[in-house]
Amino acid sequence: MGQKGLRHYLMTAVKGLCMGAADVIPGVSGGTIAFMTGIYEELLGSIKSIDSTAVKLLFKGKIAEMWRHINGNFLVSVIGGILVSIFSLAKVMQYLLEHHPVPTWSFFLGLIIASSIYIIRDIFKDGGKSKGATVAIMLLAGIILGIVVCMLSPTETTDAYWFIFLSGAIAICAMILPGISGSFVLLVLGKYEFIMKAISDMNLPVLITFALGAAAGIIAFSHFLTWLLKKYRIGTLSVLAGFIIGSLIKVWPWFIDNSEYDANGIFAWGSFTPLLPDKFAALTGNDPQVLQAAIFAIIGVGIVFLIETIAKKVARPEPSRTSENA
């Protein structure tokens, strides 16, 4: 590998670090970071190249040829950067959620609101303005779906290995969809804190199961998601944007677990009930920290705007491999 190639892959690893940081924080998609930094198409093309041809080359012992076919150096650089970032930040996120829940959830809330704004903006940039009725219907459908999924899903889902495998398969698909965060999907599935703790504690059985699910999911769905975005981009992004907006209820900073308050006469039709800060304080006896919540929500919004501003100044890298692997 020449010096130029080494610099390229080191820069790719740095972009992977940024993707990993986004994947740990609900609200900013790793796929969005890949898109912003110019490696999205190469990443998608490389994932798609892990196919039957690659398997045949592997079993024939043509390792070097197989490695070139899947763009192995690039994938190792990206995945390595992602893993370093995730394992570095997992303990931090676990601590914040345990000891500073209201400011942390407020930060996530700001991130997701700002991300939703940019997704909707991009929809209209991509031609959604001429399909206003379609966008509105799909957006509304996504909002309703997001609310229903979040309110009806149990606060604590099963820790069985089959569900961990499934969570990995579903969450990883978010990485290749600009606009929706894998961590956000884990929040909806009720597995975000569980997986963060597993990473922090190096719980290998859980991590290996999750990784196997992620590998199966991303290989199985990469072709389908590419086709979906190519054929129905406006509708797909509209539903995603609506789902994210509807699912904001999942990261609302003030809520109670209905299993603990079911005798208090609180109206509830889901596994948890979002509350206004004063009601939260009255029921739990905890400080609602309204000022801190507002500050951290604004910081979350500001970070997304900052990422967008920086992204406009990032030079696009070498041509993608999408056409080579189509």
Side-chain angles (χ1 to χ4, degrees):
M1 185 187 299
Q3 188 175 3
K4 181 179 179 181
L6 179 61
R7 285 199 305 269
H8 169 69
Y9 291 119
L10 283 174
M11 182 57 65
T12 300
V14 171
K15 294 174 181 179
L17 284 169
C18 296
M19 289 180 64
D23 288 330
V24 170
I25 301 172
V28 182
S29 166
T32 299
I33 300 299
F35 190 82
M36 288 177 169
T37 56
I39 63 172
Y40 181 75
E41 291 186 53
E42 185 172 5
L43 176 63
L44 197 56
S46 299
I47 293 170
K48 287 172 61 180
S49 68
I50 304 176
D51 52 14
S52 58
T53 300
V55 174
K56 289 177 184 177
L57 291 172
L58 177 63
F59 280 105
K60 288 180 180 179
K62 299 180 179 180
I63 306 299
E65 191 174 343
M66 183 273 294
W67 193 252
R68 288 193 298 271
H69 176 75
I70 67 171
N71 199 12
N73 289 338
F74 170 82
L75 285 177
V76 167
S77 299
V78 174
I79 294 172
I82 290 172
L83 291 177
V84 168
S85 189
I86 288 175
F87 280 95
S88 300
L89 291 174
K91 284 185 178 292
V92 176
M93 297 309 303
Q94 185 183 357
Y95 172 83
L96 291 174
L97 285 169
E98 183 177 349
H99 296 283
H100 305 283
V102 171
T104 303
W105 289 119
S106 299
F107 176 69
F108 293 166
L109 186 72
L111 285 172
I112 296 170
I113 289 173
S115 297
S116 302
I117 292 171
Y118 276 110
I119 298 170
I120 293 172
R121 185 202 65 177
D122 290 342
I123 289 171
F124 284 100
K125 275 189 175 181
D126 288 346
K129 194 172 183 179
S130 62
K131 301 178 181 179
T134 299
V135 170
I137 292 171
M138 302 304 280
L139 193 66
L140 180 60
I143 291 173
I144 294 172
L145 179 64
I147 293 174
V148 170
V149 168
C150 287
M151 291 298 293
L152 296 184
S153 62
T155 304
E156 294 294 333
T157 50
T158 177
D159 294 339
Y161 285 113
W162 70 265
F163 192 78
I164 296 169
F165 182 93
L166 182 64
S167 297
I170 296 173
I172 198 65
C173 293
M175 190 186 78
I176 54 176
L177 275 174
I180 185 168
S181 163
S183 291
F184 177 76
V185 171
L186 288 178
L187 273 176
V188 173
L189 294 173
K191 277 288 163 281
Y192 178 75
E193 293 182 65
F194 178 81
I195 296 299
M196 289 298 104
K197 188 176 188 305
I199 294 172
S200 179
D201 296 343
M202 286 300 293
N203 187 334
L204 292 181
V206 169
L207 294 179
I208 290 171
T209 303
F210 186 82
L212 289 173
I218 200 168
I219 292 172
F221 290 109
S222 60
H223 289 79
F224 170 71
L225 292 174
T226 303
W227 174 83
L228 196 62
L229 284 171
K230 184 177 180 180
K231 296 288 290 185
Y232 305 103
R233 182 176 179 83
I234 299 298
T236 301
L237 291 178
S238 297
V239 171
L240 285 173
F243 184 84
I244 292 172
I245 293 169
S247 302
L248 283 169
I249 196 169
K250 192 73 173 182
V251 294
W252 184 250
W254 305 282
F255 64 91
I256 59 169
D257 182 346
N258 292 336
S259 64
E260 298 177 8
Y261 291 88
D262 55 358
N264 288 338
I266 301 170
F267 171 75
W269 55 278
S271 58
F272 69 99
T273 300
L275 302 168
L276 292 175
D278 59 339
K279 188 69 171 179
F280 171 81
L283 286 173
T284 67
N286 296 327
D287 181 2
Q289 299 176 283
V290 176
L291 179 59
Q292 295 95 317
I295 291 172
F296 278 89
I298 292 170
I299 291 173
V301 171
I303 285 178
V304 175
F305 289 160
L306 180 62
I307 290 172
E308 178 72 10
T309 301
I310 293 173
K312 291 178 181 177
K313 301 179 181 179
V314 175
R316 299 297 182 190
E318 290 79 4
S320 72
R321 300 177 72 253
T322 305
S323 57
E324 298 175 19
N325 295 284

